[in-house]
Structure formats: C-alpha cells, structure tokens
Amino acid sequence: GLYRDVNIIGLSESHFDLDYYGGPGIRVTPEIVGEDAKVTVEVYVTNKKEQQKLDYVLKDGRGNVIAETIGDGTKVVFSIPNVHLWHGRKDPYLYTAEVKLVEEEQILDNISTRFGCRSFEIHPDNGFILNGEEYPLRGVSRHQDRWGLGNALLKEHHEEDMEYICEMGANTIRLAHYQHNQYFYDLCDKYGFIVWAEIPCISEHMPNGRENTISQMKELIIQNYNHASICF
C-alpha cells in the first residue's frame, strides 16, 4: 500500500514536467573551474507557449539573489565567482536554483531545488577525494524501516536516524536497497554525507528483469540528480 506522502497537485496547462521518470522537472549541473563554478540549470516544460518566459534565479545559502536571467530557453549557464564549496560533514554549503514560468507577468508555475558545488574522484591509492582533498569514508548502511512500523517512516524517524548516524561520527551512508524517501536525501545534503544510492538489484537477477532494472536506474538517477550528497 501507500506508505509515503501523497500530494494533489493543481497545474496550469503550461507547467514544469512531472512525468519525466518522476523527476522534479529541473536539473542543476555544477562544474568547478578553478576558484569559480559554472552552473548549468535546465528545466523540462510541458505545453510551453511562444509568449511565455522563464525566470531563472540563483540564491546563496542565506537566500540572497546572486544571479538572475529571463529568457525563452529551457537551459541557462551561470557563473559563481569564488564559489563556496559543498565539503561534506565539514561544510555542507548549499545554493538554491529557482525557476518561474511566466506569461504577461503572471506566474504559471514555479520550481526550485537546492544544490551543492563540489568535485570528487576515486583514487586507487588515496581513496575518495573531495574537492581535491583526501576524504576517508567511514559510515553505515541504512535501511528505511523500524520495528512496529515497517518502512512507513515519518519525518521524525528519518531525523532520528540522521541524529544517530551523526552522533557515531560517520561521514558516509549506503542507502540500501531501494529508493529512500526524498526527505532523507535532503537531510544527507544538509548534513554533508557522502551517499551511495541503489535499487533492489541484489543477490539474484531475474531472467526477465533487465528492462525493469534499467527503468529503475533511470528513475533513481533522474529523480536524485540534484543532490550534492549522492556520489555513487
């Protein structure tokens, strides 16, 4: 049955797409260039009309506008000089991207997402590298379930799990073996955890399961693309 939040969403005829693999309708791709960041913001729009405009805004961690542009295109590139990096548990700094779909000064739809600017790599000798620094990973594997509740967790249960993981001094989490609640991915961004996310493709692969596996992987990637915490 249903064990997560259910939302009734009212939309204009023209709106940000909700059907593209269940994704949020906005994709933010930061790229670190020296001391700066190049941030590509792309949106998916359903039934966009010629007279409609898109208003793109970037905000810093305090909510201050640092860049804005209005145009017809569904993709823009911003530059953030002297970018404040998202640096795991040490400094999980997040920016916000907001986009409005506007027609004659009327806002038809709006969308936003938080994102972090970081680079990472895996080195065969030095391990995980975050923003050019060695960053040893020590953490836990987390299942989204509880005694007496199964997997129907409330926000306070997700927050309590996060408190326990922080208390033990971890800096990475494996989210096994399925899509976890978006609220927990948001907490991972906020608290600066390096995350491994996965689908239930484990132990034994069903002979006729390949198409379903690929579909689930596409959903996992597209729905969680903007999360700074997810590196695997």
Side-chain angles (χ1 to χ4, degrees):
L2 296 170
Y3 67 97
R4 298 191 188 177
D5 294 345
V6 177
N7 302 294
I8 298 175
I9 303 173
L11 296 167
S12 304
E13 180 184 0
S14 300
H15 57 269
F16 293 111
D17 194 356
L18 296 173
D19 297 325
Y20 186 62
Y21 291 99
I26 181 172
R27 183 168 70 170
V28 180
T29 308
E31 179 186 351
I32 308 305
V33 184
E35 299 296 319
D36 308 331
K38 183 176 74 173
V39 180
T40 302
V41 182
E42 186 174 5
V43 293
Y44 303 92
V45 186
T46 301
N47 296 321
K48 184 180 181 300
K49 296 178 172 56
E50 187 176 346
Q51 68 272 24
Q52 295 167 353
K53 303 290 184 182
L54 290 160
D55 183 358
Y56 295 84
V57 174
L58 290 190
K59 294 183 178 180
D60 64 16
R62 296 181 178 179
N64 301 313
V65 175
I66 58 173
E68 183 175 12
T69 186
I70 300 175
D72 301 310
T74 57
K75 183 178 181 180
V76 298
V77 179
F78 290 102
S79 178
I80 302 179
N82 299 313
V83 65
H84 192 149
L85 297 175
W86 185 93
H87 199 76
R89 296 284 291 129
K90 296 178 182 178
D91 188 6
Y93 189 89
L94 293 170
Y95 291 89
T96 301
E98 298 178 353
V99 189
K100 297 175 184 176
L101 179 62
V102 181
E103 182 176 345
E104 296 179 353
E105 298 185 358
Q106 179 185 1
I107 299 173
L108 301 179
D109 199 3
N110 60 76
I111 195 169
S112 68
T113 187
R114 301 179 83 182
F115 68 95
C117 297
R118 82 285 189 267
S119 66
F120 67 91
E121 62 176 307
I122 314 300
H123 193 278
D125 297 319
N126 301 327
F128 186 77
I129 310 295
L130 180 64
N131 299 321
E133 298 179 10
E134 293 186 20
Y135 194 84
L137 298 179
R138 302 182 177 93
V140 299
S141 177
R142 188 239 187 191
H143 279 259
Q144 185 179 287
D145 53 22
R146 288 210 173 194
W147 180 259
L149 292 170
N151 52 12
L153 301 193
L154 302 175
K155 285 187 175 180
E156 51 262 39
H157 301 132
H158 293 293
E159 291 166 358
E160 189 174 50
D161 279 1
M162 180 58 74
E163 289 172 5
Y164 288 144
I165 296 169
C166 289
E167 183 180 341
M168 70 186 296
N171 64 1
T172 185
I173 306 173
R174 174 193 174 194
L175 297 181
H177 304 280
Y178 37 77
Q179 280 263 31
H180 286 234
N181 195 305
Q182 279 293 327
Y183 186 67
F184 198 78
Y185 294 122
D186 291 339
L187 289 177
C188 290
D189 293 342
K190 177 182 177 182
Y191 286 92
F193 281 89
I194 304 298
V195 170
W196 172 298
E198 58 187 53
I199 61 170
C201 180
I202 56 171
S203 302
E204 184 176 349
H205 192 66
M206 295 172 61
N208 59 347
R210 179 171 173 78
E211 184 179 345
N212 183 275
T213 298
I214 292 172
S215 176
Q216 286 196 50
M217 277 304 301
K218 287 180 179 178
E219 291 168 353
L220 181 76
I221 293 167
I222 292 167
Q223 291 174 21
N224 301 299
Y225 186 89
N226 300 324
H227 289 289
S229 56
I230 297 184
C231 296
F232 305 96

